[in-house]
Amino acid sequence: MKRALPLLALAAATPLAAQQAAPLQSRVEAELAKAAPGTRYGLVVTDAQGREIIAVNPDQRFIPASNTKIVTTAAALSTLTGFDRPDTAGGASVRIEGRDVVLSGHGDARLSSAADCTTNCLSQLADAVAAKTKRVRKVTGDASLFPDERWSSGMSWNNIPSPYGTALAALTLDDNELIATATPGQAGAAPGVAHLGYLTLDNRAVTVAAGGKTDLEVDRLPFSRTIRLTGTIAADAKPQKIRMGIDDPAHYAAWRLAMLLRERGVRVTGELQSRYRTPELSDDPRQRLAPMPPRATPPAPLAALTPPPLWEDLRTINKDSQNLHTELLLRRVGLAKGTGSVADGLVEVEAMFKAAGVPRTSWDFSDGSGMSTYNRIAPRGIVDRDRVRDIADRMIARLSIKTASRDKATGEIRSFPTANFDRIIQINLVGTFRCI
């Protein structure tokens, strides 16, 4: 997710003499005052010992945007275990009920139906069904492990058609994205568009003369399966990839499985269905009227996948700023002690901050990825050296020494997922967050 950062929290590499602090504070304030009217900054600079050198609106709260992913990652590492082992809990599975096929998701974000897939592949489940039978009736995508909260509170509706705001569910395939490829035609004609066929394409785009402007736009109403393509593509332009979000991930997964079954000679005679679980009061930990009952044992699968270690997905989340993966991680955090709801996940975030002594007034979150405009955090609440070091130590305790360790000289956590410099997330737990 790309969004302007209103929040700055920097860690200074070396301490400054006390007499320099005041002039530096004044110079920083003077520079920030040059911004356009209405611009608001939050800034905390500390030395290596955690002493504040500069503080500008340090206790005011700001929208953290994708820096929220750092918090979700920390909560996961504080709550879950086994990050360096194969993800046996998260993989999708398939079973046959009578003559029907049920594809179930368990929260993994990495299931793939790509032709070049080599691990965690939907084709492996299709092979298992094809080896068992050559005729099935219905194919159902089951995403009922988590309550149906496909979008978090506070996300702008116009993000829904995009890959940044695609729906999320316990059953997720291909990042819940569809990719189409637009190729220029003759000048004045519509471009050619290759896609899987899950969505209907209303192609209103136009090819313009060589050297002209290439600017394609995609639009879709929520829960509509018709995509409208508008704009222009130059006759000499390279093929353009168009990424689109999916509103019914479980249905898409069932549709894709049915396609793979047909390719393997399996006749599918029934309809394709999706299965979700309507949120209830029991999905909100603050409204539960009774203790959580034991989770029901799922039916035995015909075949199940084991994704790679979850640690690899943490790298994807923090290096690529992957919204969908982060939201599913928050649900899995919530499933540890609850039902997998957003509220259950945020309870664990609160417990992490509380254990580290971060004031409750310093933060507020409504999602795990930062797409929600309701999220807030204060610079001083998150930059305090002792608080963040406590969170870091508890995170390391959850990890194998092969995965992460603290440098004895600097206190730095090695191998923690760090974003590319052209992304907006960077974390370096030397005792504080850097460039938040």
Side-chain angles (χ1 to χ4, degrees), residues 11 19-20 22 34 45 62 65 84 99 122 159 173 183 186 192 215 232 262 269 282 294 298 352 364 372 377-378:
Q19 61 269 24
Q20 292 179 301
K34 297 177 182 178
V45 179
F62 298 82
D84 56 344
R99 293 169 53 194
L122 185 63
N159 285 306
L173 176 67
T183 305
Q186 297 294 322
D215 185 15
T232 59
R262 294 186 184 104
T269 62
S282 59
M352 174 189 68
D364 211 9
S372 176
I377 199 160

Side-chain angles (χ1 to χ4, degrees), residues 36-50:
T39 305
R40 195 166 62 97
Y41 291 96
L43 173 67
V44 169
V45 179
T46 70
D47 63 19
Q49 284 70 47

